Amino acid sequence: MVPGSGQLRWAKLAPLFGVLVVAAALVGILHPPSSFLALIALVFFGLVMLYGCFLAWRLLGAWDLAIKDLLGQQSALEVECDRHRNALDELADGLAIVIFLTDRTGKILYANRAAQDAFGLGEPSGLAILGVTISQEVNEMVLQAASGQPARRELVLRHPRDRSYVVGTWQEASVEGRVFISMVDISELRYLERVRRDFVANVSHELRTPMTTIRAMAETLQDDDPEDQELRPRYLSKIVREVDRLTTITDDLLILSTVEASNLQKSEVDLAELLRVCVQQLVPLATEKGLVLGYQGPYCVKGMFNGDQMTQVFLNLIQNAVNYTGRGTISVRLMDRDDDILVEVEDTGIGISADQATRVFERFYRVDKGRSRASGGTGLGLSIVRNIVEAHGGRVSLESELNRGSTFRVSLPKT
Ligand code: ADP
């Protein structure tokens, strides 16, 4: 505790009483008749001076303690500040949002980890935001914010790769001329929007074709022209075919949306048995085309799957193999591995070129539209396969060579 102002006043008076002691001593020496009075004054002033010195000594000791205490508090505050700064850095580094702090000219003072990753930066401090983002718009937004006008805009940055961001810039409240930049990556969102738009356009297109045919046939039948009488059965069977086609498309669309929307219900399934049943079901179709279709693998391999969805996957793959193979064999193989189960569907059919192979899993993508339609395909089969397999935590891949055949591989975790 620091002593109060009374003690301080006494301590301050100590030198004055020191002077009075000297004065009393001089009076005693220079004027002997007053020496007794001078002695009393000397003793009195001397005692007061000693008391003042004592207080001054105590004060110095107390101040020393108080200074030590303050220094301790200061270093504790510094530690606390460091802790907060580190916590802020960790928070900023943990965010998926890109964050920069720049000076008023756009020179980077700080960049969080997401910013460093997004723009491939090593030590970002000192670099210009224009050089890092290669975007005049971002640079202008920073300058605008530095002059007190916050900004927010959606931008497509081309560097280091095409990404869509919602960019925000605003001035730091406590330090004028320092600008925060936040960039939220919305590329995925924009991509999904594009996919949804394309999907709706594709569905409309796929539905419109059979509907146009049905309408044309129905109108012809409506005319009831006697010359068309013998064509009636042909028109009617074409209408039925197109309605079947519409039904197949809507069925496939329903399967797709069910797979995407629902929680996967798994139960113990013997995949070997399921594959044998699928093969059995399609052997007549294959035999009709002169193809040999068979299953090779263990008798029983159990795992946790959605049985209906797995049946859908393998019927799609085997049916495709039959559809796109002119002659030869289709082999369905199962391998029970340590961590997963691998199923291969191999055919000796028309094959798929490397550039098409990456696209065949897209919705409505067909290499040969006419051929797919002729075999009753919708262009959704492989997309359904991929969705189901990925919902099970598995992977589907394709190895193919044009005019030699294709092998679709499905790997599935057992649990
Ligand atoms: P589709 O209903 O047209 O068969 P899929 O999604 O099942 O649709 O397949 C997409 C496209 O991939 C097919 O149109 C076809 O061109 C190609 N394809 C699929 N499986 C095979 C295969 N086993 N051999 C050759 N091409 C195939």
Side-chain angles (χ1 to χ4, degrees):
M1 192 199 73
V2 181
S5 58
Q7 292 189 22
L8 186 62
R9 202 162 37 245
W10 276 113
K12 274 184 187 165
L13 288 175
L16 173 67
F17 283 97
V19 172
L20 290 174
V21 167
V22 174
L26 283 176
V27 168
I29 294 165
L30 297 176
H31 192 249
S34 314
S35 60
F36 181 67
L37 273 176
L39 181 68
I40 291 173
L42 187 139
V43 169
F44 174 73
F45 292 143
L47 284 175
V48 174
M49 186 195 76
L50 282 176
Y51 181 61
C53 287
F54 168 71
L55 286 181
W57 174 76
R58 256 189 45 181
L59 275 173
L60 282 175
W63 285 346
D64 193 35
L65 278 179
I67 286 167
K68 278 192 185 131
D69 191 34
L70 281 174
L71 285 174
Q73 284 180 26
Q74 184 192 354
S75 58
L77 279 174
E78 277 170 3
V79 169
E80 188 72 357
C81 270
D82 278 352
R83 228 167 45 81
H84 282 302
R85 199 176 302 128
N86 289 342
L88 272 179
D89 281 354
E90 272 173 36
L91 174 71
D93 279 344
L95 291 175
I97 301 171
V98 168
I99 294 172
F100 286 109
L101 176 65
T102 71
D103 69 7
R104 61 170 67 247
T105 64
K107 199 163 81 181
I108 296 171
L109 305 171
Y110 169 80
N112 72 343
R113 192 165 302 144
Q116 295 176 23
D117 292 347
F119 293 94
L121 304 173
E123 173 51 60
S125 300
L127 298 175
I129 195 72
L130 179 61
V132 168
T133 59
I134 320 281
S135 164
Q136 198 61 45
E137 284 116 318
V138 173
N139 195 47
E140 275 164 15
M141 285 172 74
V142 170
L143 301 180
Q144 196 180 326
S147 64
Q149 286 172 282
R152 192 172 188 79
R153 230 178 278 166
E154 184 176 330
L155 298 175
V156 176
L157 302 192
R158 307 277 173 210
H159 176 79
R161 61 206 167 103
D162 282 9
R163 305 298 290 170
S164 298
Y165 288 104
V166 173
V167 183
T169 55
W170 68 99
Q171 200 175 44
E172 192 184 335
S174 53
V175 187
E176 207 181 305
R178 294 216 308 186
V179 174
F180 276 116
I181 308 172
S182 72
M183 300 168 88
V184 182
D185 191 339
I186 52 162
S187 315
E188 197 71 16
L189 186 70
R190 291 288 171 259
Y191 169 75
L192 290 175
E193 280 174 3
R194 209 167 45 244
V195 168
R196 189 179 53 82
R197 265 199 313 273
D198 290 353
F199 181 61
V200 173
N202 280 331
V203 170
S204 316
H205 177 75
E206 292 294 329
L207 296 181
R208 192 179 296 135
T209 316
M211 277 175 1
T212 312
T213 315
I214 292 170
R215 191 189 165 88
M217 299 288 150
E219 275 173 358
T220 315
L221 289 173
Q222 210 176 23
D223 287 348
D224 214 13
D225 189 339
E227 280 182 20
D228 286 345
Q229 283 305 315
E230 71 264 29
L231 292 174
R232 280 178 80 94
R234 242 174 69 195
Y235 286 172
L236 280 171
S237 67
K238 188 138 178 66
I239 287 175
V240 170
R241 250 199 338 269
E242 293 302 324
V243 170
D244 285 350
R245 190 170 158 63
L246 282 173
T247 313
T248 318
I249 295 174
T250 46
D251 283 352
D252 275 2
L253 285 171
L254 272 175
I255 294 171
L256 253 186
S257 73
T258 312
V259 174
E260 281 179 0
S262 67
N263 268 344
L264 193 62
Q265 304 285 328
K266 289 193 203 172
S267 58
E268 195 176 65
V269 172
D270 179 353
L271 208 59
E273 193 194 340
L274 186 145
L275 280 173
R276 281 195 304 271
V277 171
C278 291
V279 167
Q280 284 296 307
Q281 203 174 318
L282 291 168
V283 161
L285 190 70
T287 316
E288 206 178 292
K289 284 187 77 179
L291 303 169
V292 179
L293 167 62
Y295 165 79
Q296 295 151 32
Y299 186 73
C300 174
V301 177
K302 289 190 174 162
M304 296 301 288
F305 308 107
N306 180 305
D308 290 344
Q309 292 189 358
M310 279 300 131
T311 306
Q312 184 79 53
V313 164
F314 295 114
L315 280 181
N316 279 2
L317 289 177
I318 303 167
Q319 193 155 12
N320 273 351
V322 174
N323 286 343
Y324 300 104
T325 303
R327 61 193 154 93
T329 51
I330 294 153
S331 311
V332 179
R333 289 187 289 269
L334 187 152
M335 280 151 270
D336 186 5
R337 305 195 294 193
D338 287 345
D339 298 329
D340 62 357
I341 298 171
L342 180 71
V343 180
E344 289 182 347
V345 179
E346 184 180 5
D347 64 54
T348 53
I350 58 170
I352 303 168
S353 64
D355 55 325
Q356 312 266 18
T358 50
R359 302 207 56 196
V360 288
F361 292 97
E362 290 173 18
R363 291 165 186 182
F364 293 116
Y365 188 84
R366 297 129 161 156
V367 178
D368 179 345
K369 271 201 170 166
R371 186 172 185 146
S372 161
R373 283 230 172 85
S375 61
T378 60
L380 290 169
L382 288 181
S383 162
I384 291 172
V385 167
R386 189 178 61 183
N387 272 271
I388 294 177
V389 170
E390 286 181 358
H392 278 78
R395 263 176 52 81
V396 55
S397 62
L398 164 63
E399 193 184 315
S400 188
E401 205 178 321
L402 215 50
N403 302 322
R404 294 225 150 196
S406 313
T407 305
F408 284 86
R409 289 195 180 84
V410 175
S411 74
L412 292 160
K414 291 178 184 173
T415 51

